[in-house]
Amino acid sequence: MSKKDKYAPETNLAGGLGWMDESFKGVIPGIYPSTTYEREKDGSYPSGRVYTRDQNPNYDQPEQILAGLEKGADAFLFSSGMAAAVTVFQALKPGDHIVAPKVMYWALRNWLVTFGADWGLETSFVENGDLSELNNAVIPGKTKMLWMETPANPTWVVDDIKAWSEAAKKVGAVLVVDNTVATPILTRPIEHGADIVMHSATKYLNGHSDVLAGALITKEENDFWTRIKRVRNAGGAVLGPFEAWLLMRGMRTLSIRVKKASDNAMAIAKALENHENVEAVLYPGLESHPDFAVTSRQMSGGFGGMLSIRVKGGEQASMDVAARLVLFKRATSLGGVESLVEHRASIEGPDTPCPVDLLRLSVGIEDADDLIADLKEALEG
Ligand code: PLP
């Protein structure tokens, strides 16, 4: 049994799998800025490293921890979540067909319909939750990848990973799940049939809104994973050593941050569910959520720190509520310890499927009553 299998995720995260700075016995490993590694007189590389592009020692500890958390065989870090996702698409070939949901991270959807299409990738977007549309969309011999995100940004619909994995298997396609929002603390997609898991590590994994990073984790080290490794090495969309070190520092507290943010989000969802100025609360943890049955199967330990509210009175009313909030800062992104609010439709542009009265809340780890009071004061003008 390896160290990473012996202990609970919280233990591996907090203790960093026991990694230390071996030169000085510091309890925290150092930062290794060197870009190149010395060769022996006989031409060999005794450190096993040649050049930093995908071999920086600061990747090793977070990659091992992420592979363990996601129950995968291997993990790679990238310079951003987008770089991680785009590397997966670049590992496909022109003419390959992808199936993805209509509601997903907008910049990624946008990449698929612009650059992805230019490079010969064809994507069919299906209605989230519609399994018959999904099963009709996969084409034997042509569909090479199913891409999903759950809970999906910014309406937090929850798609069934197992059902998507069955649809992928039917045609021999790879299933990739963007697990940024649930994090491996609440959902481990590989346990439900995913082949690859993707993260914007900028969000919960780092958790302090001060690192841009991405990650991929694979269920098995197969030919497709080797191709992803080659694309990463050739393209060089890798993380700097200092960012990898900061990411590792953030990850040590992942579990308590995710649980506290989930508790806060649930308290807010319940407090606002029947508020007179709220049209709807979109939160997968509410029993009234249409996907609650799937959510309960797929998520455990909490339902995440992301929720959206639809404000009565339309777009201007929701903008006014955002303007009155004090504790929730008006900013994009999510997954930090501080709470953020965002009017998503105006960020996503005219082709957005996001309702114009929707405010997306990234709930932090502050006191729940303070956050609820801030929201109620803003809603009540
Ligand atoms: N996936 C999701 C769900 C996201 O929310 C984001 C960023 O907001 C990304 C991917 C892209 O990640 P990054 O901003 O690290 O490139």
Side-chain angles (χ1 to χ4, degrees), residues 80-82 105 149 153 178 180-181 198 200 202-203 212-213 334:
S80 69
M82 283 301 287
Y105 176 54
E149 174 187 324
N153 219 329
D178 181 342
T180 299
V181 167
M198 175 254 156
S200 165
T202 314
K203 317 300 179 193
L212 186 75
L334 58 100

Side-chain angles (χ1 to χ4, degrees), residues 280-297:
V281 173
L282 312 178
Y283 185 59
L286 288 178
E287 282 181 39
S288 57
H289 190 283
D291 304 322
F292 187 69
V294 182
T295 307
S296 311
R297 268 205 314 276

Side-chain angles (χ1 to χ4, degrees), residues 19 64 91 99 155 173 242 360:
W19 285 49
Q64 262 197 33
V99 179
T155 57
F242 180 56
R360 186 182 82 174

Side-chain angles (χ1 to χ4, degrees), residues 51-56 59 63 229-230 232-233 238:
Y51 188 58
T52 197
R53 196 181 301 121
D54 65 350
Q55 295 180 337
N56 189 282
Y59 303 159
E63 285 181 348
K229 184 176 168 57
R230 284 175 49 215
R232 179 175 80 147
N233 174 272
V238 295

Side-chain angles (χ1 to χ4, degrees), residues 15 251 263:
M251 275 169 49
D263 290 350

